Amino acid sequence: VPFEWRGQGSPPVDLRDVIAADLYRSGRFDILPVDDYLSRPSDDRQIRYKDFRLIKAEALVVGRVKALGADRFDIQFQLFDVFGEKQLAGYRWEVGRSKLRRVAHQVSDLVFKALTGKPGAFDSRIAYVEVERIASTGPIYRLMVAESDGFNPQEILASSDPMLSPAWSPDGRYLAYVSYEHQGSQDEGPKVVIQEIKKGGIRFKVSERPGLNSAPAWSPDG
């Protein structure tokens, strides 16, 4: 259900849209169209379970967002079993504007865990390589990091040399990846490089052995 907004103007982030997109993209959920809802509760006191049984909803997520001033927001969410008429999960946050999308991903994780028994990965980041083809100078390769749904992409490193296979360190502070940079080396084969996850972060080679240096992977302890 769209989260109730208690503030001036429009909410900075539509939490319902982020949560619905997360769950649908997982392939484990069907999201019912909002236009089909017979009511739009924002907490347990407003729920008429019959309204949702009639549209064959099995689970129900409700919540509200309240502006507190100074770019602070109070967020509450609850998850209910429609046929069992009981609460399965609930949580409350007080966060700044920049954390609203992260809270939406955390709600998705809580819903996913409650309904499947497995932890979600929506409140995480993805790493990928983006290639821009420039006719005059050749391709530019960019090592990118974004939220799990691709939102808020950030460039970590740009290079004229190919990069591929980024792999996260267990603590999320570094990426290992394969680079074809030369830097004056006679060996023009691939190298494994570690890059700190921040603009201008430290960067160093960890493997430049003869032959292929590819598909880096971290041990669980880093």
Side-chain angles (χ1 to χ4, degrees), residues 114-148:
L115 296 180
T116 71
K118 299 177 181 179
F122 305 110
D123 182 27
S124 62
R125 294 177 293 174
I126 57 173
Y128 57 97
V129 176
E130 185 176 87
V131 184
E132 181 182 3
R133 307 287 181 184
I134 303 175
S136 59
T137 60
I140 297 295
Y141 298 84
R142 293 185 173 90
L143 183 63
M144 306 291 293
V145 170
E147 295 179 26
S148 64

Side-chain angles (χ1 to χ4, degrees), residues 3 61-64 75-79 89-91 93 107 110-111:
F3 279 35
V61 174
V62 302
R64 55 188 182 271
I75 304 165
Q76 297 183 56
F77 114 94
Q78 293 168 286
L79 167 68
Y91 213 83
W93 297 260
V107 171
L110 290 166
V111 172

